[in-house]
Amino acid sequence: MLQMCVLLVPVQEEDDDKAGFWSQVVYSASDLFNLYRTVVLRSPEEIPVCEAAHRGVLAKPSKELRRARLSYMLAAFALRAIRSVQVLVEMDAFRRQGAKYALHVCTRIEVVKLVLKIFLRFRMPFNFYVDEVAIEDAEPPKLLEQQRNALLGQSQNGNAEAPSEAAPSPAADQPFVGRRTGRSLKALEGKAPTSDAPKAPRPPPPRVADGLRRDCTPHTSQIAVAEVLYHSRPLIHLAMIRSRGRKSWAAWVVALLLERLSTGLLAMELRSLPNSRASLLEAAEVSRRQNQMWWALVRSPVFDRLLKRPCETLDWVLKKIPVINLFNIVELFLVLQPFYFSTSGS
């Protein structure tokens, strides 16, 4: 409800837009609440952190594993919390000391985020970074309780039907005797009655961390190159913007090439075990990185050249339509588009 109310706040045309700033404050606060809810709903067994390779699977989690899960959870929450407020911090820096200082603050934030990503990468059993956003998309925490109830119901039904299936009917073992000839035919052995009912769908892989290290994609030099290109893209993009300006075509092209090359190299090296949780999470991460490349269309200078005028026209049309003109979706987007973090995708 808070996020929907953000779209109802009118946006002013002045440079010191208090309405847009406080709209971002409300949006960031509601996003932080959603992150907290996600952390609370997730079970510790779902956190992608495994025991050490030499320890194997233990009956109970060790003290080291519990510490690793806690440190992973705190680092992942800190990273997503920074993402929730990074646009707000950039807007505040821009209002206080201008665009150059805002880009300097953005560089510092990207360095902090890179440190957190490196920490999470070494906590994971995967051989490349898998973001929490990809994990949440592949395994929504809201559906966890529903899946547990469904699996519990299937197990109870299976236990109830097991006795009836295990005990064959006595009539099935008796031979068939013809009424006219009196000849008898033996019953077919090992032939269960067939049914035309469709088979039950295959259950999803268990949402536990055991086996992720065994089933994940093995480490290769190509994956290492893809990771270096992907994680260095925001810093290289920011450095070129600071030296050439926000409307630099060179900065836009280099950022897009780094994203495209890193994602392509990573997608070619996916070799995880099929139908496993590791395969599901790794595919979700590759899909997330591929979808992030679409942010290039709303970055300057491409947005200024191709999409800014159509968006302004669309905003003018929507303001003429009753009820719809109460929502300032396009207007709020036009206000936030000049800021780096609104289109960075990092």
Side-chain angles (χ1 to χ4, degrees), residues 48-62:
V49 177
C50 301
E51 292 278 5
H54 63 277
R55 297 179 66 93
V57 181
L58 303 178
K60 294 183 179 180
S62 62

Side-chain angles (χ1 to χ4, degrees), residues 43-53 55-62 65-66 69 123-126 139 204-216 273 275-279 281:
S43 173
E45 288 76 15
E46 298 179 46
I47 298 176
V49 177
C50 301
E51 292 278 5
R55 297 179 66 93
V57 181
L58 303 178
K60 294 183 179 180
S62 62
L65 179 58
R66 291 195 295 269
R69 286 175 175 174
R123 288 294 185 185
M124 295 177 178
F126 305 104
E139 301 173 339
R207 298 173 62 164
V208 293
D210 294 338
L212 288 179
R213 182 179 287 106
R214 180 189 66 248
D215 301 337
C216 68
L273 183 68
N275 300 322
S276 62
R277 191 190 180 204
S279 174
L281 298 183

Side-chain angles (χ1 to χ4, degrees), residues 79-197:
L79 177 60
R80 298 192 65 180
I82 291 175
R83 289 174 175 171
S84 299
V85 301
Q86 59 188 7
V87 178
L88 184 63
V89 174
E90 182 184 1
M91 293 176 68
D92 180 68
F94 179 81
R95 293 174 60 188
R96 288 192 289 113
Q97 299 189 27
K100 291 185 178 181
Y101 179 73
L103 290 176
H104 184 67
V105 172
C106 292
T107 304
R108 292 181 178 180
I109 294 176
E110 288 291 357
V111 171
V112 174
K113 289 162 58 178
L114 180 59
V115 172
L116 290 174
K117 291 178 183 179
I118 294 175
F119 177 82
L120 293 173
R121 161 64 185 84
F122 285 106
R123 288 294 185 185
M124 295 177 178
F126 305 104
N127 288 309
F128 60 90
Y129 175 74
V130 178
D131 197 85
E132 276 290 302
V133 176
I135 297 176
E136 184 177 344
D137 291 341
E139 301 173 339
K142 297 179 182 179
L143 302 181
L144 175 59
E145 193 66 26
Q146 298 179 5
Q147 290 183 358
R148 288 177 177 173
N149 295 335
L151 292 176
L152 181 61
Q154 290 178 2
S155 62
Q156 292 177 352
N157 294 336
N159 295 334
E161 296 175 359
S164 61
E165 295 178 355
S169 61
D173 297 336
Q174 296 179 359
F176 173 77
V177 180
R179 294 182 179 179
R180 186 173 60 86
T181 61
R183 295 181 178 180
S184 61
L185 299 176
K186 295 182 179 181
L188 297 178
E189 297 180 358
K191 189 70 174 179
T194 59
S195 176
D196 297 335

